[in-house]
Amino acid sequence: MSHLLDDAVASEPLGDGVHRVQVTADWNTANQTPNGGYVLALLQHAVLQESAHPDALSISITYFRPALPGPADIRVREVRKGRRVSTYDAVLVQSGKEVAHAVVSTHDWDATGTVEHTPHAAPVVPRPEDCADASELIPAGMVPILDRYSYRAPVVAGWLRGEPTGVTESLCWIRAVDERAVDALLAGAMIDAFPPVTAEIGHLASATIQLTVHYRRRPDTVWALGHVTTRHVIAGYHDEDVELWDEQGRLIAQGRQLAILAEG
């Protein structure tokens, strides 16, 4: 079965680490440009096709300018092939201009260490089927990226009810609308798929400048729970931390980004 994300990141290898992709508007944000998590998935997918290891461990991406719907090339370079961890960089290029640059570390989850210390448990919330369907409050087509996912929340966000709370934090279940199982590719896209919690202070439109994702396990889930927090908004820039947990209460991924709010 073909899935929406896999179709959207499909690439044609051209040799020498170059991959031709077709950027789609189906993952656009409120800014009418492709979502940063989708761009991350494009770059990560290309890197994994070149990698000496099967799994993504981390990705750190800087966005130079918005991507545009249409053809693009991704240029992947091996920086270091290691025994446990290998490193690559990748650049998304459109019309001769560099759009985004990523540094990606890869490894093999079947060849990791054994040390564990996890004092920070998953937030305690009802299961998705017992939560409110937040997707029903978002008009279809208003923000294309939000149509790619289903959202269930234990408490519907205040801004969606027309009552912004001023508290820039949320807990929300998320799954691909086509019920694609979560893997590192989808987890990376999901990290940036939640409406910015700055909507609770009246600012929904936000553009990512830099985003880092750390993957913590091979997921085995369809729904993922996102804990999203913005701690500081300064001079129009805001941070956003995301923890992504599976249905069994295990940490899947952690993300941190710096973004800029649209003003006016």
Side-chain angles (χ1 to χ4, degrees):
M1 177 182 176
S2 178
H3 291 285
L4 294 171
L5 181 61
D6 301 296
D7 291 343
V9 302
S11 67
E12 175 190 358
L14 302 181
D16 295 325
V18 179
H19 294 253
R20 176 67 47 81
V21 297
Q22 189 72 24
V23 180
T24 172
D26 292 344
W27 300 73
N28 277 10
T29 69
N31 298 332
Q32 303 305 313
T33 55
N35 167 256
Y38 166 53
V39 173
L40 180 150
L42 281 165
L43 288 161
Q44 183 171 296
H45 178 258
V47 167
L48 263 293
Q49 293 182 75
E50 302 286 336
S51 173
H53 292 99
D55 300 301
L57 179 62
S58 70
I59 179 168
S60 184
I61 179 171
T62 299
Y63 302 87
F64 304 139
R65 53 178 55 85
L68 298 172
D73 287 343
I74 297 174
R75 301 170 183 167
V76 178
R77 180 178 68 98
E78 181 182 278
V79 178
R80 179 181 184 272
K81 182 187 294 184
R83 183 177 61 86
R84 289 189 59 176
V85 178
S86 294
T87 303
Y88 301 82
D89 65 10
V91 181
L92 178 68
V93 180
Q94 281 189 303
S95 301
K97 295 181 179 179
E98 295 187 356
V99 173
H101 171 262
V103 176
V104 184
S105 294
T106 66
H107 74 138
D108 185 345
W109 281 116
D110 292 329
T112 57
T114 60
V115 177
E116 298 276 333
H117 178 64
T118 56
H120 177 33
V124 178
V125 299
R127 289 190 55 79
E129 58 268 23
D130 298 320
C131 290
D133 187 350
S135 302
E136 293 180 349
L137 302 176
I138 304 170
M142 182 179 78
V143 183
I145 178 66
L146 301 183
D147 295 337
R148 307 279 78 79
Y149 298 99
S150 297
Y151 299 88
R152 301 286 187 274
V155 178
V156 175
W159 69 273
L160 277 173
R161 304 191 309 267
E163 302 172 354
T165 64
V167 178
T168 53
E169 183 174 6
S170 73
L171 286 167
C172 186
W173 289 100
I174 183 173
R175 76 174 179 193
V177 72
D178 58 5
E179 301 188 35
R180 181 192 188 279
V182 180
D183 59 4
L185 187 72
L186 180 54
M190 281 178 163
I191 285 283
D192 195 43
F194 297 95
V197 289
T198 51
E200 295 292 358
I201 56 172
H203 293 275
L204 177 60
S206 172
T208 306
I209 297 169
Q210 199 280 337
L211 170 62
T212 296
V213 179
H214 297 157
Y215 300 103
R216 307 312 304 266
R217 68 180 64 250
R218 279 189 188 137
D220 179 18
T221 193
V222 173
W223 284 100
L225 176 65
H227 183 196
V228 186
T229 307
T230 285
R231 290 178 171 81
H232 302 283
V233 182
I234 300 173
Y237 298 99
H238 72 95
D239 57 68
E240 182 177 276
D241 288 335
V242 178
E243 291 179 336
L244 207 61
W245 302 81
D246 67 14
E247 295 174 76
Q248 294 76 44
R250 300 172 302 186
L251 187 65
I252 297 171
Q254 297 166 281
R256 163 160 279 202
Q257 68 172 274
L258 181 68
I260 185 170
L261 296 173
E263 298 187 27

